[in-house]
Amino acid sequence: MRTHGNWITRAETAADVPAIREIDLAAFETPLEADLVDALRADSSWIDGLSVVSASGEGDGRGQGDGGGRLVGHALLTRCHIGDTPALCLAPVAVLPAYQKTGAGSAAIRAALRAAQDMGERYVTVLGHPAYYPRFGFTRASAHGIGLSIEVPDEAMMALALDEAHPLPSGTVRYAAPFGI
């Protein structure tokens, strides 16, 4: 368990699953992301330790698992491939609406990326808001010859090399089956 500012981050536990679903349901307009997380847990793309939650530092009686305060954020990394090269996909990232713009999501993302790096992972992709993800080191994927098999705004597809000694490979991103891409 690591503390980031006012946030405690840690890998999810089985006891956290209901709270993570609640976070996803509250953060998105439809249940698609919550259902995606559930499907990914049952998929071979799941990597234990790369589903990270952020919790408030104070216990408020509503927390799950062993993390102290209430769970308010979640970031998930699962296996994908860039061409034939193993990589990770960051998705979804969710924060309870009342806690958005407080750093809870950033803390979960940073902890997930650090956990991936500690496991020897080298590359991460994200399809997301181009003004948000560059703060974590993500850059436009197309600049590295990385693309998708579907049309998305070029600036929304980003990638990150976790180890500068291993530059990003080029190729088409292949997501885990639950993504439907």
Side-chain angles (χ1 to χ4, degrees), residues 38 44 70:
D38 291 341
S44 63
R70 181 181 189 190

Side-chain angles (χ1 to χ4, degrees), residues 129-157:
H129 199 285
Y132 182 73
Y133 291 99
R135 71 184 72 185
F136 306 103
F138 287 93
T139 59
R140 192 178 295 220
S142 63
H144 306 281
I146 299 170
L148 284 176
S149 60
I150 61 169
E151 283 292 317
V152 298
D154 185 56
E155 65 276 6
M157 184 66 208

